[in-house]
Amino acid sequence: MAEKKRVKYLVVDAFAESAFKGNPAAVCLLDDDNDNERDDAWLQSLAAEFNLSETCFLTPIIGDFPRFRLRWFTPVAEVDLCGHATLASAHVLFSTGLIDSETVEFDTLSGALTAKHLKIDDEIELDFPVVPTFEVNYIDDDLSLFSKALNGATIVDVKATKKDILVVLSSWEAVIDLKPRLDEISKCPCEGMMVTASASAGSTFDFCSRYFAPRFGINEDPVTGSAHCALAHYWSLKMNKCDFFAYQVLSLHRYT
């Protein structure tokens, strides 16, 4: 019986400067994209075993410059885009010497994504797509469901992306104090729900947000890079600007 190949992996706390903060992602390094032992069911099972908001898989693509196939899995499903796991993947490649370059390209379900290592500040810059938000004529039953899911919080605007719903509340404090009903969010016509509000006058931030995706095994995501692809689009139209300083709230114990 042939010995099974081992999988090298690292767990990285993305969007953080120290351990046990930010948003953890498991980064798994694969050698062969055609390994029959590692089909989609196997990848999903490993993601369920890690039980993190995202487990991602990196497979090198032979070429003239560093390029990798990148796939992201929650504990229950594969997703099209994930910011923090992409950041974690880039960190692993740049910090461990696996590539001899300050730029790497990822081939993903959302197209080609680029990460650059800015050596002066030792930071990583991600080039991510804009996720447009648009109007949807929700029926009264949908709006009632959203209100119930957010425990009666005052809703001032609702937009949608192809997969998620963006709900704007009346204030920064309303987002922070929100006690969502996860069972009701699971019933909403979306994969995930972004809840956001503009910052108070005089704040160093522009807006805050929280992100819930219980149907995908993520009750609340600590820091969601992909959600900000849509949040930035929404707030750019509202604030008439393109550069933002955003804050994602995490309140793990405020559920009903």
Side-chain angles (χ1 to χ4, degrees):
M1 182 176 179
E3 182 180 355
K4 293 184 178 180
K5 297 179 181 178
R6 296 186 178 184
V7 175
K8 296 179 181 178
Y9 73 89
L10 297 92
V11 176
V12 179
D13 289 326
F15 297 117
E17 296 181 351
S18 59
F20 315 121
K21 296 181 179 179
N23 198 353
V27 180
C28 302
L29 305 170
L30 304 182
D31 297 323
D32 186 355
D33 202 25
N34 297 314
D35 190 336
N36 292 329
E37 294 179 357
R38 297 169 185 171
D39 59 11
D40 287 2
W42 186 93
L43 300 179
Q44 186 61 71
S45 295
L46 185 57
E49 179 74 14
F50 278 116
N51 198 32
L52 297 172
S53 59
E54 297 292 341
T55 295
C56 60
F57 299 92
L58 280 173
T59 306
I61 299 173
I62 304 302
D64 296 331
F65 61 92
R67 190 162 171 250
F68 291 78
R69 186 183 185 200
L70 175 58
R71 299 176 69 182
W72 310 280
F73 288 79
T74 76
V76 299
E78 184 172 10
V79 297
D80 292 342
L81 184 64
C82 178
H84 85 276
T86 304
L87 180 62
S89 298
H91 171 75
V92 167
L93 295 173
F94 291 137
S95 65
T96 60
L98 290 174
I99 61 173
D100 184 19
S101 172
E102 302 306 323
T103 302
V104 61
E105 184 176 286
F106 299 112
D107 183 14
T108 79
L109 291 177
S110 291
L113 306 177
T114 302
K116 296 181 180 179
H117 183 210
L118 308 179
K119 296 187 70 174
I120 295 178
D121 299 315
D122 194 24
E123 295 179 346
I124 295 174
E125 178 182 276
L126 300 180
D127 184 6
F128 262 45
V130 170
V131 175
T133 57
F134 51 85
E135 297 277 356
V136 176
N137 292 322
Y138 290 109
I139 62 175
D140 289 343
D141 286 348
D142 285 333
L143 296 175
S144 177
L145 181 58
F146 300 157
S147 178
K148 188 176 181 181
L150 299 180
N151 218 8
T154 301
I155 296 174
V156 299
D157 197 7
V158 178
K159 292 292 189 292
T161 70
K162 288 183 178 180
K163 296 186 177 182
D164 290 340
I165 291 174
L166 187 154
V167 180
V168 184
L169 299 187
S170 58
S171 69
W172 175 289
E173 291 75 19
V175 174
I176 293 175
D177 295 336
L178 176 66
K179 298 179 181 178
R181 299 181 62 178
L182 298 177
D183 57 334
E184 297 297 333
I185 291 179
S186 297
K187 299 175 185 177
C188 293
C190 61
E191 291 187 358
M193 179 178 287
M194 295 169 270
V195 181
T196 184
S198 60
S200 304
S203 172
T204 57
F205 296 98
D206 293 294
F207 63 85
C208 68
S209 67
R210 292 170 70 179
Y211 184 79
F212 310 97
R215 287 170 57 184
F216 274 69
I218 306 170
N219 286 342
E220 180 168 5
D221 208 2
V223 192
T224 319
S226 58
H228 282 78
C229 295
L231 289 163
H233 177 261
Y234 176 85
W235 287 113
S236 69
L237 297 177
K238 291 293 183 180
M239 299 180 179
N240 194 30
K241 58 186 292 187
C242 296
D243 295 324
F244 297 99
F245 191 30
Y247 178 67
Q248 183 159 344
V249 187
L250 175 63
S251 302
L252 289 176
H253 305 293
R254 291 181 176 170
Y255 305 132
T256 59

